[in-house]
């Protein structure tokens, strides 16, 4: 199988006829066999980028797409040897499962015997042997999605493109299929680009995540890097929950309205936070990096404004610390009532400084959001 095709996106921008600039010129490299996830809010350009890689969308002048170093920018979709799976299945409703899976093989004029062998392999791989003779209209959503995957993989594509393939399914099924897709992509060793706006899906599947905003790349990195070293406020907010505080870095630590948060709580994993940067003004910490402590150990004191019981933990909104309430999580079993005075500590390495210098490079609406 052609399992190790790399994809390079060079300077790829897209302006639609009505003037909408869906993609600013983007550069991106996907290694052979890698699973890359494009993650971002609705309208940020994920599908457009995927369609450009597929050859379903033309490029603005100056852009290029390379497969294994070879320029495919002018090759039509059917010559690029890709498999595609979409949110809306795009199966032939009145054909059987078997014929849907075999469709691409037939188009490629494979012999009947070869086709049947391959279809059987696909049915087994997706655990849908018992559905082979059914029509698509007689299947559930999860079953259809398996057929769509089987059909995409049947032709042994060089690159597999998936655009929100699980969005139409319920939470439990999503999770199960997500695990199956992960196993499948790893066993095939295929180069895959997976679009989603669901961050937990992205974290679970990705070797690397590209966070997009407004037609640009806001950050790319491993799931761990994106979560633990967000390079701007947009990414910090989009992946997980982030409490934001404004202050200033001094030799003693991060100073917020007269309180100095010691250097021991700075996250030094990313290197962003190691040097004392006098112009540093923004820091974030995640709810799970907080703990409720006695007053003498506290970094902040505040009052509980609301509580959300989430089963394994309780989420508290705490007033009196920052302009907007701070979100704290606790595994205390007892109920905490609204109005309770609590003392909060940020765990060691829980405070992440956001590098201000990157703000200039970001789109206008992110800068505005960051400056709030
Ligand atoms: N054919 C088109 N003509 C004009 N504008 C378009 C066209 N297709 C998409 N757009 C615009 O381009 C931008 C990016 O769209 P795209 O479909 O790539 O977003 P997306 O990130 O996939 O969003 P979603 O998560 O909602 O699927 C949007 O502002 C969209 O309105
Ligand atoms: Mg889309």
């Amino acid at each position: 199988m052609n399992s190790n095709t790399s994809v390079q996106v060079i300077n790829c921008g897209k302006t639609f006829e009505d003037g909408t600039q869906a993609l600013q010129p983007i550069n991106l490299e996907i290694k052979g066999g890698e699973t890359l996830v494009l993650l971002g809010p609705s309208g940020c350009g994920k599908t457009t980028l995927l369609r450009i890689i597929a050859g379903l969308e033309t490029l603005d002048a100056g852009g290029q797409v390379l497969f294994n170093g070879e320029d495919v920018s002018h090759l039509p979709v059917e010559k690029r040897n890709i498999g595609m799976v979409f949110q809306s299945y795009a199966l032939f409703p009145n054909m059987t499962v078997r014929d849907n899976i075999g469709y691409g093989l037939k188009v490629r004029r494979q012999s009947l015997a070869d086709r049947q062998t391959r279809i059987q392999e696909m049915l087994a791989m997706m655990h849908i042997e018992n559905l082979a003779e059914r029509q698509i209209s007689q299947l559930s959503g999860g079953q259809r999605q398996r057929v769509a995957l089987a059909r995409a993989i049947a032709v042994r594509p060089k690159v597999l493109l998936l655009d929100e393939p699980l969005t139409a399914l319920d939470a439990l099924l999503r999770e199960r299929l997500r695990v199956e897709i992960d196993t499948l992509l790893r066993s095939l060793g295929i180069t895959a680009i997976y679009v989603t706006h669901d961050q937990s899906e992205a974290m679970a599947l990705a070797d690397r995540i590209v966070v997009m905003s407004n037609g640009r790349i806001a950050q790319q990195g491993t799931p761990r890097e994106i979560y633990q070293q967000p390079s701007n406020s947009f990414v910090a907010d989009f992946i997980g929950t982030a409490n934001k505080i404004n202050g200033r870095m001094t030799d003693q630590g991060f100073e917020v309205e007269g309180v100095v948060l010691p250097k021991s709580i700075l996250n030094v994993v990313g290197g962003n936070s190691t040097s004392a940067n006098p112009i540093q003004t923004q820091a974030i910490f995640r709810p799970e990096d907080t703990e409720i402590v006695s007053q003498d150990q506290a970094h902040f004191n505040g009052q509980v404004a609301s509580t959300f019981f989430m089963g394994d933990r309780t989420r508290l909104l705490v007033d009196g610390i920052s302009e907007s309430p701070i979100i704290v999580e606790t595994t205390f079993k007892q109920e905490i009532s609204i109005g309770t005075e609590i003392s909060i500590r940020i765990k060691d390495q829980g405070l992440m400084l956001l590098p201000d210098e990157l703000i200039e490079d970001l789109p206008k609406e992110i800068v505005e959001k960051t400056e709030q």
Side-chain angles (χ1 to χ4, degrees):
M1 187 174 287
N2 298 312
S3 58
N4 276 318
T5 304
S6 66
V7 177
Q8 266 174 288
V9 169
I10 303 169
N11 222 15
C12 283
K14 176 68 190 176
T15 311
F16 284 104
E17 275 170 18
D18 65 356
T20 307
Q21 198 167 10
L23 274 189
Q24 309 282 338
I26 268 184
N27 290 291
L28 194 60
E29 189 163 352
I30 301 119
K31 295 191 216 66
E34 186 178 32
T35 301
L36 184 95
V37 172
L38 301 177
L39 175 68
S42 187
C44 72
K46 305 179 295 295
T47 297
T48 303
L49 180 53
L50 206 67
R51 287 172 57 84
I52 283 174
I53 294 169
L56 290 167
E57 208 73 81
T58 56
L59 276 166
D60 289 353
Q64 258 188 329
V65 176
L66 312 184
F67 283 5
N68 268 349
E70 186 192 329
D71 190 351
V72 297
S73 312
H74 300 289
L75 280 189
V77 55
E78 65 275 11
K79 296 257 169 70
R80 293 196 189 187
N81 198 0
I82 44 168
M84 283 186 282
V85 184
F86 298 104
Q87 176 180 357
S88 57
Y89 322 120
L91 297 165
F92 304 109
N94 299 320
M95 273 163 51
T96 61
V97 167
R98 177 182 297 285
D99 289 346
N100 264 280
I101 296 176
Y103 181 79
L105 306 171
K106 201 167 174 182
V107 170
R108 284 170 170 75
R109 300 183 190 285
Q110 288 197 6
S111 73
L112 183 63
D114 286 352
R115 257 152 47 199
Q116 278 172 346
T117 311
R118 185 69 181 153
I119 291 170
Q120 215 51 45
E121 266 174 45
M122 288 297 109
L123 289 167
M125 188 188 282
M126 300 311 298
H127 310 293
I128 47 175
E129 291 112 312
N130 56 334
L131 302 175
E133 311 312 327
R134 288 235 204 133
Q135 294 203 341
I136 299 303
S137 53
Q138 300 169 317
L139 301 180
S140 74
Q143 291 164 338
R144 286 177 203 208
Q145 209 46 275
R146 280 165 211 259
V147 179
L149 267 169
R151 187 178 67 174
I153 297 166
V155 298
R156 303 181 201 273
K158 285 183 181 169
V159 179
L160 188 61
L161 305 177
L162 306 106
D163 195 353
E164 312 230 14
L166 304 181
T167 308
L169 309 176
D170 71 57
L172 257 182
L173 188 57
R174 274 180 90 126
E175 175 120 16
R176 221 171 61 211
L177 266 182
R178 184 168 85 195
V179 173
E180 282 185 33
I181 289 179
D182 189 44
T183 313
L184 191 72
L185 294 179
R186 281 176 211 292
S187 67
L188 293 175
I190 197 171
T191 309
I193 307 175
Y194 189 106
V195 166
T196 182
H197 57 250
D198 179 331
Q199 53 141 321
S200 54
E201 205 163 288
M203 302 282 264
L205 284 172
D207 292 317
R208 212 146 48 87
I209 295 177
V210 170
V211 184
M212 292 178 64
S213 164
N214 211 21
R216 299 191 195 215
I217 296 177
Q219 188 176 358
Q220 51 178 311
T222 62
R224 193 174 286 277
E225 283 163 355
I226 299 272
Y227 192 81
Q228 295 181 343
Q229 304 151 39
S231 58
N232 53 69
S233 180
F234 174 81
V235 173
D237 267 337
F238 194 74
I239 317 282
T241 306
N243 290 304
K244 256 177 254 173
I245 44 176
N246 292 317
R248 157 178 99 84
M249 198 63 212
T250 68
D251 287 341
Q252 283 70 46
F254 191 71
E255 192 183 319
V256 189
E257 293 178 17
V259 179
V260 177
L261 302 171
K263 283 183 171 170
S264 63
I265 68 166
L266 287 181
N267 168 28
V268 291
V269 184
N272 291 345
S273 313
T274 43
S275 59
N277 177 355
I279 61 155
Q280 191 76 55
T281 56
Q282 286 236 358
I284 62 157
F285 57 97
R286 307 230 181 249
E288 71 269 23
D289 288 329
T290 57
E291 51 193 342
I292 299 174
V293 292
S294 59
Q295 204 164 7
D296 57 322
Q297 296 180 351
H299 294 134
F300 305 109
N301 298 296
Q303 310 83 40
V304 176
S306 39
T307 68
F308 303 90
F309 179 61
M310 303 174 84
D312 56 343
R313 67 215 131 95
T314 303
R315 203 166 243 227
L316 311 173
L317 296 193
V318 183
D319 276 343
I321 295 168
S322 185
E323 260 171 56
S324 37
I326 293 288
I327 303 171
V328 171
E329 275 176 7
T330 169
T331 51
F332 274 4
K333 301 280 182 220
Q334 293 82 1
E335 198 169 332
I336 300 171
S337 49
I338 290 172
T340 308
E341 297 282 331
I342 57 169
S343 304
I344 295 160
R345 188 178 172 79
I346 300 172
K347 291 183 193 167
D348 281 358
Q349 307 218 355
L351 192 71
M352 300 181 270
L353 301 186
L354 294 179
D356 285 345
E357 61 271 53
L358 289 183
I359 291 174
E360 283 168 34
D361 300 335
L362 290 169
K364 196 162 139 276
E365 94 283 352
I366 298 183
V367 176
E368 279 163 5
K369 210 172 162 197
T370 311
E371 283 169 351
Q372 274 168 18

